[in-house]
Amino acid sequence: MRINVVEGDITAQRVDAIVNAANSSLLGGRGVDGAIHRRGGPAILAECRAVRASRYPDGLPTGQAVATTAGDLPARWVIHTVGPVWSATEDRSALLRDCYANSLRVADELGAGTVAYPLISAGIYGWPVDDAVRQALSVLRSAEPAAVTEARLVLFGADTHAIARQVLDAG
Ligand code: ADP
């Protein structure tokens, strides 16, 4: 699987599946979640409600992933995953890594060839950007999916992208 790191807006990516840094309610939120629902239209929220009612009445647990339609977005699917809130006192990185791995597994099961990720947990949930990039790359680099041939990490804004470049350059 090829890994590309780009600056951009995930809602504009021409890929088979985009990953949403959702919250466990699956009912939409701020940040990238808000942008995806805004640009994707009401079909995404309608399917989120149905998925929640039938499979996750208590909400989608942190680290897990579930797919819906991508509505009006260029992608075919949105894969919703719930990142952990950053903690300075507790190591929650296994849950963050689960988000990348489980989203990739869902994409692979759907037969998606290309998947774009935002930097999960690195916005409202407060994860330090450099470590968030390191965790993402380490999971994606060791993955061996059957269908997915490209994973794209989409960094929002020049500052976040610059930090990601530094992490990449440092190896
Ligand atoms: P979380 O609650 O998991 O921290 P956020 O949506 O607050 O989720 O932030 C996750 C990352 O997504 C942050 O780096 C934020 O800058 C970025 N982001 C926000 N909007 C977009 C977008 N339209 N495309 C890609 N990334 C985005």
Side-chain angles (χ1 to χ4, degrees):
M1 181 175 72
R2 204 167 61 252
I3 299 169
N4 288 321
V5 178
V6 303
E7 182 188 342
D9 181 334
I10 201 150
T11 63
Q13 302 300 309
R14 298 201 167 273
V15 287
D16 295 324
I18 64 169
V19 175
N20 180 18
N23 59 56
S24 68
S25 79
L26 291 177
L27 300 179
R30 297 183 291 157
V32 70
D33 196 7
I36 286 171
H37 283 284
R38 232 176 3 257
R39 310 238 170 89
I44 301 175
L45 185 57
E47 204 176 325
C48 280
R49 285 189 199 281
V51 164
R52 188 184 155 129
S54 65
R55 292 171 60 188
Y56 300 104
D58 299 325
L60 183 65
T62 305
Q64 295 196 28
V66 70
T68 67
T69 174
D72 301 332
L73 295 171
R76 282 181 71 185
W77 299 284
V78 175
I79 299 171
H80 307 264
T81 188
V82 182
V85 176
W86 163 258
S87 166
T89 54
E90 187 189 351
D91 181 4
R92 298 179 179 164
S93 55
L95 287 167
L96 182 59
R97 299 168 71 86
D98 283 349
C99 289
Y100 286 93
N102 285 326
S103 297
L104 190 63
R105 180 181 48 74
V106 169
D108 213 39
E109 286 167 3
L110 290 166
T114 49
V115 184
Y117 287 86
L119 198 56
I120 299 164
S121 289
I124 294 156
Y125 284 179
W127 208 283
V129 168
D130 56 347
D131 192 61
V133 172
R134 260 182 232 111
Q135 302 286 350
L137 292 176
S138 117
V139 175
L140 296 174
R141 280 173 176 155
S142 63
E144 293 179 351
V148 180
T149 57
E150 182 196 351
R152 195 179 298 169
L153 191 59
V154 181
L155 287 324
F156 194 59
D159 293 355
T160 306
H161 185 243
I163 295 171
R165 294 301 327 170
Q166 281 171 13
V167 171
L168 277 173
D169 292 346

